[in-house]
Amino acid sequence: MQTDRWYFPIWLWYALLCIFWWGLWGFLSKIGSVAASPLQMQILFTLGMLPVALGMLVQMRGKLDRNREGVTYGLLSGVATGVGTLGYYAALREQNASVVTPLTGVFPVLTVLLAFLFLGERLSGRQWLGRVAGDCCGAAAFPRVFRCRSR
């Protein structure tokens, strides 16, 4: 009799929630980009995140960790996200979400490369296979990206 039980790891639930909410964000961003400029979309995006941040601050009872490295990288992460999101909104204003979103969805390649080079992280063969498969899905948008525009 086998005693090993299969379980669904908590990190996978979090990742699936992330996919759902980011998918909804991409959809709502496309709709908004028709009516608002990329700069305005970025401002509204930031304002929309404030209730989430305030909710987390309440959950933490207003006590933020004062680790200098954590604060530095947290702020840098916010700046990188803000600039990247601005580029995303600008791209959505010019092109279909069905093209922009899969293409920008290849961003983990840079994350994996940087983690490999600077953090010494390694991928197993199975992880490389998943990474390549995911990248191929994002790259499937390329044929539509470079079409000539008629003026």
Side-chain angles (χ1 to χ4, degrees):
M1 181 169 155
Q2 187 170 349
T3 59
D4 292 342
R5 283 187 46 197
W6 183 86
Y7 73 100
F8 205 80
I10 191 71
W11 69 264
L12 190 52
W13 282 114
Y14 293 148
L16 293 174
L17 282 171
C18 175
I19 291 168
F20 171 78
W21 288 109
W22 282 359
L24 183 60
W25 164 74
F27 174 73
L28 295 173
S29 296
K30 177 56 184 176
I31 294 171
S33 72
V34 172
S37 72
L39 295 175
Q40 183 176 342
M41 285 294 293
Q42 180 60 39
I43 292 166
L44 296 171
F45 168 79
T46 302
L47 292 174
M49 288 190 67
L50 286 178
V52 177
L54 291 174
M56 289 183 282
L57 193 58
V58 167
Q59 176 71 24
M60 296 173 64
R61 302 180 200 271
K63 296 180 183 175
L64 293 175
D65 190 1
R66 294 202 170 117
N67 177 295
R68 185 181 299 217
E69 188 177 26
V71 170
T72 299
Y73 285 107
L75 291 172
L76 287 172
S77 174
V79 170
T81 300
V83 174
T85 305
L86 187 58
Y88 179 73
Y89 292 140
L92 282 178
R93 193 153 177 107
E94 301 296 323
Q95 183 57 269
N96 294 336
S98 60
V99 175
V100 172
T101 303
L103 184 59
T104 59
V106 181
F107 76 89
V109 171
L110 179 59
T111 304
V112 170
L113 180 65
L114 292 173
F116 174 80
L117 293 174
F118 297 105
L119 303 177
E121 294 186 9
R122 303 289 185 257
L123 293 179
S124 69
R126 184 183 215 181
Q127 290 169 321
W128 273 112
L129 181 63
R131 179 71 260 144
V132 170
D135 296 341
C136 288
C137 291
F142 274 115
R144 292 183 58 194
V145 170
F146 297 109
R147 276 195 293 189
C148 295
R149 262 194 200 174
S150 56
R151 292 198 181 244

